[in-house]
Amino acid sequence: MKKYDKLIFELSRPGRTGYQLPADNYGVDALSEIPADLLRKNAPELPEVNEMDVVRHYTNLSNKNFGVDTGFYPLGSCTMKYNPKINEEIAAMPEFASLHPLQPAETAQGALELYYNLQQALASISGLAEFTLNPYAGAHGELTGLMVMRQYHISRGDTKRTKVIVPDTAHGTNPASAMVAGLEVVEVKSKPNGSIDVEDLRPLLDDSVAGIMMTNPNTVGMFETEILEIADLVHKAGGLLYYDGANLNPLLGKVRPGDMGFDIMHINLHKTFSTPHGGGGPGAGPVGVAAHLVDLLPNPRVRKGDDGRFHVDTDDRSLGNVSTFFGNFGVLMKAYAYILSLGRDNIRNVGPMATLNANYIKESLKDLYKLPIEGVCKHEFVFDGLADKSTGVTTLNVAKRLLDFGFHAPTIYFPLLFHESMMIEPTETESLETLDEFIDVMRRVAREAAEDPDMVKAAPVTTEISHPDETGAAKNPVLSYRQLKANAK
């Protein structure tokens, strides 16, 4: 074992110190600001290591992580695309990073202009009237959008509308967000191709329905060809259409949710517009609405005056505040940089390229992997495991084996329509050479599954941690340094 493969406490030696702080904080004793009853009585039990060991330990750990900068990441419905480094440079600019949200608007005109311009860009891209950038993430955007939906009906005295229709293929956050918003979830069935069954939808539409949540393309990557009929039915019943923006990527340049009849939508900036996500990092879920819902958007709002100056408004008709100040501003900056980098013409290429890449992989592998839904997909598609299941190699086994070749696994066991689901989304930012390499590896794994299934079932074998006991880790988690230290003795 290499030195820095050891756990940090194994490097600990009494008396070693890996940091040095000033005797006081620029002349102010920081501890004097903390109430005495909140101060520790005893020093924390932490490893005692020098600075070099700390740096090398965490650098070594970071090198073992998998990310979109280290390999292909075909995670379905999550759009794990390349994040240009210029985004990070712009977000780190001190002119923005050093701003305080409480400073007067006249001293932050550049930030407010960026915020306003991003609102306008998203409105143009989506076909909706106005956006709020305040929600912190996609699910937070869903909740905000549903609050707008509910407030709309309440403001009109239509208090019976407490039900939201959700497809049986929906992302899990859809019914969860509806429940948190105080709405009742009603499920509508899908047809074998994953599209909403319009005949199952019709009897669900009555005067108790607030609206329907859906995404287009749907969760299995197929376009909802009956979307205009669905929009007409829901609107005639008095409901609103909510667009889950998780699958917006393939629409860019081809069609806008607002043009399909959607009244409310959220956009995952940390997916469609390249800001990093995953691992609990910051996201952003701006919410856009049609013209008749603009007054309900949450406060605060950034407006542009007749004099060209930008100011911050609140509106008494608003549903209120959903976040502190202006959301995750650093994430908003990265998305704005990405949109400007692409420009109007290149944004139009995103959807077609994402669709081309997905269909290229699908057609190249459908002889060895079971394709339950035929036809042209959009940005993603779903295999139902291996075509030959006789050796007992599962989707999980295939996913683990991909790690041995430097590829992250696609989304597995979702959607629930198929027992061995494997959802693959290459995005538009991957090269033909990367796609070909992934296809070659997938074909190799399929051959291995037929010729040496035990080897595939034992994967991964080349990663830092080989075939861990996931069940044991879930049942007996080690949640503290003290417990880890005790277990190692």
Side-chain angles (χ1 to χ4, degrees):
M1 176 185 291
K2 293 183 293 186
K3 178 179 181 181
Y4 295 100
D5 283 334
K6 293 182 179 180
L7 300 169
I8 192 69
F9 74 82
E10 295 180 282
L11 303 177
S12 177
R13 297 295 182 272
R16 288 182 178 171
T17 304
Y19 68 95
Q20 184 176 355
L21 297 177
D24 60 29
N25 186 19
Y26 301 102
V28 178
D29 183 0
L31 293 181
S32 67
E33 303 295 321
I34 302 175
D37 60 331
L38 295 181
L39 291 173
R40 297 183 65 97
K41 301 299 186 292
N42 301 303
E45 185 181 354
L46 296 174
E48 298 177 69
V49 291
N50 63 42
E51 183 175 343
M52 284 299 295
D53 281 347
V54 172
V55 171
R56 287 171 179 164
H57 172 73
Y58 284 105
T59 300
N60 185 49
L61 287 181
S62 71
N63 290 336
K64 295 176 181 178
N65 287 339
F66 192 98
V68 74
D69 284 350
T70 59
F72 184 39
Y73 212 128
L75 203 62
S77 272
C78 283
T79 320
M80 299 292 286
K81 66 175 63 173
Y82 169 62
N83 299 294
K85 301 302 168 276
I86 190 174
N87 297 1
E88 303 298 325
E89 294 177 18
I90 289 175
M93 290 173 63
E95 292 85 351
F96 290 106
S98 299
L99 292 175
H100 192 286
L102 288 178
Q103 69 187 73
E106 57 266 23
T107 68
Q109 284 294 296
L112 296 180
E113 181 178 1
L114 184 155
Y115 192 98
Y116 178 83
N117 288 346
L118 180 56
Q119 289 180 147
Q120 299 299 109
L122 296 181
S124 176
I125 289 168
S126 67
L128 293 172
E130 191 167 323
F131 267 78
T132 174
L133 310 183
N134 296 356
Y136 288 132
H140 192 201
E142 284 184 13
L143 176 60
T144 301
L146 288 167
M147 290 167 65
V148 169
M149 180 184 290
R150 188 175 186 190
Q151 187 64 29
Y152 167 73
H153 293 302
I154 291 174
S155 68
R156 298 166 62 248
D158 205 351
T159 57
K160 287 177 60 178
R161 296 188 179 275
T162 58
K163 295 179 180 178
V164 171
I165 298 171
V166 176
D168 56 8
T169 60
H171 299 127
T173 51
N174 288 184
S177 297
M179 293 292 289
V180 173
L183 296 163
E184 181 184 346
V185 176
V186 177
E187 186 177 274
V188 60
K189 291 183 173 59
S190 298
K191 295 184 286 189
N193 68 352
S195 298
I196 287 177
D197 187 335
V198 176
E199 296 310 311
D200 189 62
L201 174 65
R202 291 180 190 276
L204 302 178
L205 295 170
D206 57 28
D207 60 1
S208 68
V209 171
I212 184 171
M213 297 184 77
M214 55 187 296
T215 188
N216 194 16
N218 57 37
T219 305
V220 295
M222 304 301 287
F223 191 82
E224 295 276 357
T225 58
E226 297 175 289
I227 182 60
L228 295 181
E229 182 179 0
I230 291 171
D232 184 58
L233 289 171
V234 173
H235 285 150
K236 283 182 177 177
L240 301 177
L241 273 77
Y242 183 96
Y243 184 86
D244 176 349
N247 291 356
L248 179 63
N249 210 47
L251 296 190
L252 297 182
K254 285 299 179 182
V255 67
R256 305 184 302 177
D259 299 333
M260 292 187 284
F262 286 95
D263 304 285
I264 308 169
M265 73 172 294
H266 82 269
I267 296 177
N268 296 303
L269 293 188
H270 51 284
K271 294 181 182 181
T272 308
F273 297 111
S274 88
T275 66
H277 76 300
V287 171
V289 296
H292 62 290
L293 301 171
V294 166
D295 292 340
L296 301 176
L297 285 174
N299 292 320
R301 306 181 191 183
V302 175
R303 306 287 196 194
K304 185 176 182 179
D306 293 337
D307 59 356
R309 304 288 288 175
F310 299 90
H311 52 93
V312 179
D313 276 349
T314 57
D315 193 318
D316 292 339
R317 295 165 295 183
S318 165
L319 59 84
N321 291 57
V322 297
S323 63
T324 51
F325 307 108
F326 301 102
N328 284 327
F329 191 72
V331 177
L332 303 179
M333 291 177 64
K334 296 173 189 179
Y336 186 58
Y338 189 71
I339 291 171
L340 291 184
S341 297
L342 289 180
R344 186 184 302 271
D345 291 338
N346 285 318
I347 281 182
R348 290 194 177 106
N349 293 328
V350 170
M353 288 302 298
T355 299
L356 176 64
N357 286 352
N359 281 278
Y360 179 66
I361 294 177
K362 172 174 66 70
E363 294 299 312
S364 299
L365 293 175
K366 67 180 185 179
D367 59 325
L368 293 176
Y369 292 84
K370 183 178 179 181
L371 183 64
I373 300 175
E374 293 285 352
V376 176
C377 66
K378 293 299 176 274
H379 64 307
E380 65 188 2
F381 62 92
V382 181
F383 284 133
D384 187 9
L386 288 160
D388 178 7
K389 295 181 171 60
S390 63
T391 61
V393 173
T394 66
T395 283
L396 178 62
N397 299 145
V398 173
K400 296 291 187 183
R401 182 61 175 147
L402 285 175
L403 299 175
D404 287 329
F405 297 98
F407 292 115
H408 195 280
T411 298
I412 61 173
Y413 299 117
F414 181 82
L416 304 179
L417 287 176
F418 313 111
H419 184 64
E420 290 288 322
S421 287
M422 185 184 302
M423 183 188 290
I424 299 174
E425 179 182 358
T427 80
E428 79 286 355
T429 55
E430 297 296 342
S431 68
L432 176 62
E433 290 76 15
T434 297
L435 301 185
D436 282 339
E437 188 179 357
F438 177 70
I439 290 166
D440 289 344
V441 168
M442 287 286 285
R443 297 188 70 83
R444 173 173 172 172
V445 173
R447 291 194 301 269
E448 291 175 343
E451 298 166 3
D452 191 359
D454 290 338
M455 185 271 289
V456 179
K457 293 175 184 178
V461 295
T462 65
T463 53
E464 294 287 347
I465 299 176
S466 298
H467 211 71
D469 179 4
E470 295 175 350
T471 302
K475 289 184 176 180
N476 302 293
V478 178
L479 303 176
S480 70
Y481 161 67
R482 183 175 299 172
Q483 184 181 356
L484 186 69
K485 184 178 178 181
N487 291 353
K489 291 181 178 178

